Amino acid sequence: MRNFVGENLLIRIFIAEGDRFEHRPLYEALVEMLREEGFAGATVLRGVSGFGAHSVYHSQKLLDLSADLPMIIEAVESEEKINAVMPQIDAMMSGGMVTMEKVRVIRYR
């Protein structure tokens, strides 16, 4: 296992639950691609409410289980590795947003 302590990048990929890539959920396709590219890990977070560029409000309601809720995929990796997969991420997404920020990783074993 690599030593992951120190400065790395956090990438956040903001999409909608209903977004698809090649007939499957986009969040699943993105996580699988990151795994295949050797990322140390990735997490998918499902929002309870939110809105995007078109200001359409999405919310989880008791009777509406099919709401197109916000999804965030997060991963921490080296800047080089994240930059290497950005063309693939760009090709998979038809909308949404990607953010990156420097993070200091402290790993406890």
Side-chain angles (χ1 to χ4, degrees):
M1 184 175 284
R2 295 178 295 164
N3 184 359
F4 219 54
V5 174
E7 190 172 288
N8 289 279
L9 281 185
L10 166 64
I11 183 170
R12 283 193 186 107
I13 305 168
F14 295 81
I15 60 172
E17 187 175 27
D19 289 347
R20 317 269 312 156
F21 178 73
E22 295 182 349
H23 308 293
R24 63 189 280 210
L26 177 58
Y27 67 90
E28 287 180 5
L30 285 165
V31 168
E32 181 62 23
M33 181 273 296
L34 295 173
R35 189 185 65 76
E36 289 172 357
E37 292 295 327
F39 273 53
T43 301
V44 177
L45 306 167
R46 184 178 190 227
V48 289
S49 68
F51 67 92
H54 300 291
S55 296
V56 176
Y57 184 74
H58 299 276
S59 171
Q60 182 177 10
K61 296 180 182 170
L62 191 58
L63 299 175
D64 184 12
L65 298 178
S66 64
D68 195 21
L69 294 171
M71 304 287 282
I72 301 171
I73 298 96
E74 289 191 340
V76 174
E77 229 348 307
S78 69
E79 184 173 1
E80 296 79 22
K81 219 167 199 178
I82 289 176
N83 287 337
V85 299
M86 280 308 298
Q88 291 179 54
I89 292 171
D90 289 341
M92 296 170 80
M93 294 179 58
S94 59
M97 179 175 66
V98 176
T99 64
M100 289 184 247
E101 59 188 86
K102 290 183 180 184
V103 293
R104 182 170 167 237
V105 175
I106 302 169
R107 183 176 191 156
Y108 297 97
R109 294 180 186 211

